[in-house]
Amino acid sequence: MQQEYNMTITELQKVQEIQQDLIAEVQRICNKCGIHFNMVGGTMLGAIRHKGYIPWDDDADIGFLRTEYEKFREACRTQLDHEKYYMQDLRDTEGYRWGYGKLRRKNTEFVRLGQEFMPYEQGISIDLMPFDNVPDNYILRRIHFLRCFLYRKLFWSEVGSRVEKNVAIRMLYKVIRLLPIKVVKKRYQRFIDKCQRKKTKLVRILTFPTPKGVYGYDRKWYLQLAKYPFGSMLLPGAEDYDGYLQIKYGDYMELPPPDKRKIHPISRLKLLEE
């Protein structure tokens, strides 16, 4: 594994500036095409607690209900400024193994530590999170939760087989990564399609973990929206931000201790040339 690159505060702020340009591009396309999106995760938390980025955060999260995500993915083919940006998705990017998309800035690098071998470009990015339906029935919901866990591990196995510190788990990843990725992706798409058959109370990102005891998030947090300052922008987020952030983070207005204010470890960083 390569050595970790330690970003300076100035570099982190420049990463955040580039990510804000990416968010602005999402907002431009969505406004033009009538696509609904909203801030989620740490981006929503930052908007409420800091009126912008969490100072030590190095990523941004934009959420879409599945139908809106597919509209955005399709719109990017013709509406995205391809001279500056590119979108990655499990179906469109060779070697990509995440169940959510990324919008990246060309002519930059933000290479995650331990993922240098991944066969796709790793520019500075924001996450594009599709939210799928979670069954209302409790037993079906538990089965759904297990399937989400298994798909997450299947996709992660390519990285986990190299970086997992526990030897037994690393060997398990080495075994499951032998499953043909084309088969995994085909079955995963069937899972997505099945989730879309019936509108339900809860939704979630299928391959992203939820807080302990949480099977999904209330659909209203992605439909009933308000605008909030995020730096120089006004961005949509859950009108009931308190309900959402309590489920997601607990006492969300309390700052974590300094040793918990972590960023993603990277091995390479390239910013835009000035």
Side-chain angles (χ1 to χ4, degrees):
M1 187 184 297
Q2 294 190 19
Q3 220 173 8
E4 183 173 353
Y5 179 87
N6 294 310
M7 268 194 298
T8 66
I9 296 296
T10 300
E11 287 174 330
L12 175 58
Q13 290 171 345
K14 289 183 178 179
V15 168
Q16 292 173 346
E17 288 172 7
I18 291 169
Q19 289 173 341
Q20 287 180 80
D21 288 342
L22 289 161
I23 296 172
E25 179 70 355
V26 171
Q27 187 176 42
R28 181 188 70 81
I29 293 171
C30 289
N31 287 345
K32 182 176 181 179
C33 299
I35 299 168
H36 300 285
F37 75 97
N38 59 293
M39 296 180 289
V40 295
T43 303
M44 187 65 201
L45 174 59
I48 298 302
R49 195 171 67 191
H50 303 276
K51 308 300 182 189
Y53 265 93
I54 298 171
W56 56 89
D57 203 1
D58 64 353
D59 67 1
D61 306 305
I62 300 298
F64 305 81
L65 291 176
R66 171 61 68 176
T67 52
E68 301 303 299
Y69 177 85
E70 296 302 335
K71 290 178 189 176
F72 181 80
R73 175 173 166 260
E74 188 61 32
C76 279
R77 300 185 191 281
T78 56
Q79 302 300 322
L80 185 66
D81 183 348
H82 293 285
E83 291 187 2
K84 292 183 177 180
Y85 311 110
Y86 57 102
M87 182 182 173
Q88 294 176 332
D89 179 86
L90 188 63
R91 291 157 290 180
D92 305 323
T93 306
E94 187 69 29
Y96 192 82
R97 296 180 70 94
W98 318 118
Y100 50 90
K102 288 182 181 288
L103 188 66
R104 296 189 188 266
R105 184 60 164 90
K106 286 186 174 181
N107 303 313
T108 67
E109 279 191 314
F110 191 90
V111 180
R112 295 286 295 274
L113 187 65
Q115 297 184 26
E116 297 82 7
F117 66 93
M118 297 298 268
Y120 53 82
E121 291 185 71
Q122 295 188 55
I124 293 171
S125 68
I126 59 174
D127 292 333
L128 307 173
M129 304 293 204
F131 284 78
D132 289 288
N133 298 325
V134 175
D136 292 323
N137 177 276
Y138 178 71
I139 295 174
L140 294 179
R141 187 177 289 176
R142 294 291 297 269
I143 295 170
H144 182 273
F145 184 87
L146 177 60
R147 292 186 72 182
C148 290
F149 172 82
L150 292 174
Y151 276 115
R152 185 166 74 250
K153 297 304 180 182
L154 281 167
F155 288 131
W156 175 252
S157 63
E158 187 69 25
V159 178
S161 64
R162 301 170 189 246
V163 304
E164 173 60 49
K165 294 180 180 178
N166 183 294
V167 176
I169 297 176
R170 188 168 69 246
M171 292 305 296
L172 180 59
Y173 279 135
K174 285 180 181 292
V175 172
I176 63 176
R177 72 180 283 272
L178 297 176
L179 288 169
I181 189 61
K182 287 185 178 180
V183 174
V184 175
K185 289 198 292 186
K186 188 174 182 179
R187 289 184 176 274
Y188 180 63
Q189 186 60 50
R190 288 179 188 169
F191 183 38
I192 292 172
D193 295 341
K194 184 177 180 180
C195 291
Q196 289 306 111
R197 291 175 188 169
K198 182 181 178 182
K199 183 183 286 189
T200 57
K201 184 179 188 303
L202 301 182
V203 296
R204 65 166 291 181
I205 309 160
L206 298 179
T207 59
F208 205 81
T210 55
K212 187 176 181 180
V214 175
Y215 291 98
Y217 305 96
D218 198 316
R219 179 182 296 275
K220 72 176 183 180
W221 293 330
Y222 308 90
L223 292 174
Q224 299 172 18
L225 306 176
K227 293 286 185 73
Y228 301 95
F230 188 84
S232 61
M233 294 181 282
L234 272 178
L235 296 175
E239 187 175 55
D240 176 25
Y241 68 83
D242 183 65
Y244 169 69
L245 292 175
Q246 281 193 44
I247 288 289
K248 184 80 173 167
Y249 299 108
D251 186 6
Y252 59 88
M253 292 303 288
E254 182 178 344
L255 291 175
D259 64 325
K260 299 293 185 182
R261 301 174 190 178
K262 297 179 180 179
I263 62 175
H264 295 104
I266 62 172
S267 59
R268 294 202 305 271
L269 175 68
K270 178 187 175 185
L271 300 168
L272 290 171
E273 296 180 2
E274 296 183 356

